[in-house]
Amino acid sequence: MPPLKVDRSLMGTPPVARRRLPAGQTGETVIAGAPAAQDANVTGALPPQVPEDDETRMLKGAITLSEYVERHPESRATLIAADQLDGTTDAVMRAEGAAELRRATTSLTADSIVYEPPTDELRAQGNVRLVRGEDVVEGPSLRYQLTRSEGVFDKPRYTLRRNLQTGEDLRTTTGRGEADLMEFRGENRVRMENATYSTCGPENADWYAQVDTLNLDFESEEGEGRNGKIVFKGVPVLYSPWLDFSLNNRRKSGFLTPTFGTTNRTGIDLLVPYYWNIAPNMDATIAPRVLGTRGLMLSNEFRYLDENYRGMMRLDYLFSDRILDRDRHALSIQHMQRFGERWSGSVNINAVSDRDYYTDLGNRLAITSIGYLAREGTLSYSGDWWSLTGSATEYQALANLSPIYSKVPLFVLNAYRADLPAGLVFRMNSSYTDFRIDDPRRDQGRRAVLYPQLAMPMQTSFMTITPKVGVHMSNYDLQRGTDNAALPTSLSRSVPIFSLDASTVFERDSDLFGQGFVQTLEPRLYYVLAPYRNQSQFPVFDSALADFNFAQIFSENVFVGQDRISDSNQLTAAAISRFIDPQTGAERARVALGQRIYFADQNVILPGGQVRTGSIASTLGAVSGELLPKTWIDAALQYNTDLSQTERYSITARWNPRAAQVLNTSYRFRRSTTNAADVRDIDLSVQWPLTNRWYAVARHNYSIAERRLVEGLAGLEYNGGCWVGRFVFQRIATNVQRSRTALFFQLELNDFSRIGSNPLDALKRSIPGYGQINQSIADPIFGEDF
């Protein structure tokens, strides 16, 4: 039945607002605070009929109240409905039996409602349910002022829905709880006493946070509580005298959840971080860290961000290591600056107190396997077709490695123009470097390199051909080390280089495992000619023999760096075939085959190397892609046709039938070019559901040649719906003689907090295709685990 609306300002003597219903029906409804409409069944005088607008159509039932509010969110119309409705619009209105009151985005139902229009206040009793937007509060009684959104709810049960930002993703989280008292302090502020909060569903309340007082401010999107504790499965697992947190996963000052774990190098490892939101573009994390066998460490990280610069500074300081009886520290400073449209610079400084710092105190393979720490500063200018960069770089060697050359300074000038007459393209690479090293036996000195090149790309509808010519010029001014004292101190060389690159692409419709694809065939020929220059007296500052792979076979020089320029008379022939989904354009699979043919011996070598003879180098083959449904294969082979032997090969397979269910296996072989043993590694990793809640995770990376475990990992995950438990054991070989073991235990409470030590970084790195079995927004400390 359509509701009746009454505007008391348009009426003389306030009538009793009452709708008469046909015989056999019960229930009466009133809307107050909207323009009046004519209704012959209302007691009292009403104004003349007004034009039939949305309000009139709503009263006649042509549109619903929800549709009206959606069209007119500014409306302050109030709807009251009940089995029995009595009162006057200028005093008190009483609704009894299935009482309901609605206004805009607020809806209230109860056994009885007493509403006072002059003050816009109400009292509700019995099975009270208040809905404000997507928030729902239920309880026995409520006192509420509609205009100011102020009131008190006794013994409420509440459900709050909020949008949370996780990186670039926006999603919704739902929190539930109870309280002895809920006080509404305006549209966006709530205070609760003896309150609980959980993201678990009502049927699965495995964990909850409980506080004596809880204040939520949805305008500033901040919350605070006093005397809080987290209860998991009925057992308190964490207590804090105060809580200070963000309601939308934004940055806010306060203590973060402590993390703890254990390793064989540190014993118990406990971190208690405090996050300081200094400014919108600046923050810091200060974290005391207790290492059971080492002592007390203080970790500090400071981050800043601006339109023209950004950076980070971090200092970890261990006071008097109990085992080594000395202070230890690690420092990292990173800064990037844009000085204008063309000028930019950066600083990257890293240092540790001793070479074994990361081996002893780091717990990730990316940290424990670091060989050298860089200390570098750069300044760059970008012109319209050229760029100039000046830098200074030093390195700190770790884990008893030999020192490497510092570059103090290094200047790099590069130029590129593709708008020359006749379609010519000019490119120039040049550099000036002063190499220094703290080793009297090794050479030091300055090297200048200039390499101008001129190319002429020629493209037709079916083929691209690019001839190129250049001259690589180098000059050395040296201070010889004791090992090379008899060699000259000034050296120069000039090597002309010619290359010709030709390629084309063919396409056709094809089938792969019963599915239609566009198949390409992309043959390519690459010829290089460079004369021999004797370089046996030249030092080796930064050069090495390049890896032989599909990227390298299309390069001019078989060496990386500038100290060796190979003599070449060679042709590389290769072909790639791709299978492309015609609907999405995604590459489904790829097959590649390549070979290099030598027309002359290569005589330029590194110290201790051998002259290359023979006409055909190794043949390369590769296959990759989703060759079977949910199965990815990546295989590569290098075969030496002169020696009729396999130089190396690798094969990796991944089966990933669905999220959080993946099996990886790989085998890698590389034939040794020295007296050392061949490299033979096997790597197995898995994440697999054991039941609908239990998941197993494991990795076994084993060196067959060295007969030792490179990395091992095993653990279990449990998905509790609104929480996840993880128990992971990891063992990493930090060098030939030493290894590091770590034990991770983590309780992750969805969209709330993480307790324990976080193994996610290790799991994602160790198990390709690892799927997180929940998507919590709780952030790790320092952006990643310590």
Side-chain angles (χ1 to χ4, degrees), residues 137-155:
V137 187
E138 299 175 319
S141 64
L142 169 67
R143 301 186 304 278
Y144 197 70
Q145 209 285 335
L146 287 169
T147 304
R148 299 191 303 270
S149 299
E150 296 177 353
V152 176
F153 216 130
D154 293 327
K155 303 291 184 181

Side-chain angles (χ1 to χ4, degrees), residues 522-758:
E522 306 168 34
R524 182 179 178 185
L525 295 174
Y526 184 71
Y527 175 75
V528 179
L529 177 64
Y532 169 73
R533 296 290 188 267
N534 187 351
Q535 302 167 48
S536 60
Q537 296 182 345
F538 283 65
V540 179
F541 290 138
D542 60 359
S543 296
L545 185 64
D547 193 19
F548 189 66
N549 52 46
F550 276 100
Q552 191 277 330
I553 61 175
F554 293 104
S555 62
E556 301 171 347
N557 195 6
V558 299
F559 302 99
V560 293
Q562 307 290 341
D563 297 316
R564 292 292 185 274
I565 307 300
S566 62
D567 53 319
S568 302
N569 186 5
Q570 63 194 36
L571 176 68
T572 298
I576 298 176
S577 181
R578 309 174 199 265
F579 292 84
I580 300 173
D581 190 322
Q583 304 299 323
T584 64
E587 182 180 304
R588 174 73 176 272
R590 175 189 300 191
V591 179
L593 185 67
Q595 189 173 66
R596 181 179 287 167
I597 301 172
Y598 297 101
F599 302 110
D601 296 343
Q602 284 187 345
N603 298 289
V604 177
I605 60 174
L606 289 168
Q610 294 181 349
V611 173
R612 192 215 54 75
T613 59
S615 60
I616 299 179
S618 297
T619 301
L620 294 177
V623 178
S624 64
E626 188 179 357
L627 303 185
L628 296 172
K630 306 297 182 181
T631 303
W632 287 262
I633 303 293
D634 191 353
L637 172 70
Q638 177 182 340
Y639 184 78
N640 190 315
T641 52
D642 286 343
L643 301 178
S644 299
Q645 68 180 18
T646 300
E647 298 291 339
R648 61 176 179 169
Y649 65 87
S650 66
I651 181 169
T652 300
R654 178 192 300 175
W655 183 38
N656 196 176
R658 61 176 184 267
Q661 185 174 356
V662 61
L663 175 64
N664 302 287
T665 178
S666 67
Y667 180 80
R668 181 169 65 101
F669 167 82
R670 179 192 291 269
R671 190 176 301 278
S672 175
T673 58
T674 64
N675 293 327
D678 298 338
V679 174
R680 298 176 183 269
D681 292 341
I682 186 170
D683 196 345
L684 304 172
S685 61
V686 63
Q687 179 190 23
W688 205 260
L690 304 178
T691 67
N692 62 341
R693 291 190 178 273
W694 284 99
Y695 293 77
V697 290
R699 184 191 186 189
H700 186 78
N701 185 4
Y702 186 78
S703 172
I704 299 175
E706 298 177 0
R707 297 183 179 180
R708 70 185 184 110
L709 184 69
V710 178
E711 180 180 6
L713 181 146
L716 292 172
E717 297 181 292
Y718 181 83
N719 186 357
C722 60
W723 62 274
V724 171
R726 297 184 178 94
F727 183 85
V728 177
F729 175 82
Q730 183 186 40
R731 182 180 180 88
I732 300 173
T734 55
N735 53 46
V736 177
Q737 293 83 20
R738 305 173 67 180
S739 63
R740 180 181 179 85
T741 60
L743 183 63
F744 301 91
F745 175 79
Q746 182 188 56
L747 177 62
E748 182 169 336
L749 310 178
N750 287 9
D751 298 337
F752 188 76
S753 183
R754 291 173 177 169
I755 303 172
S757 51
N758 190 357

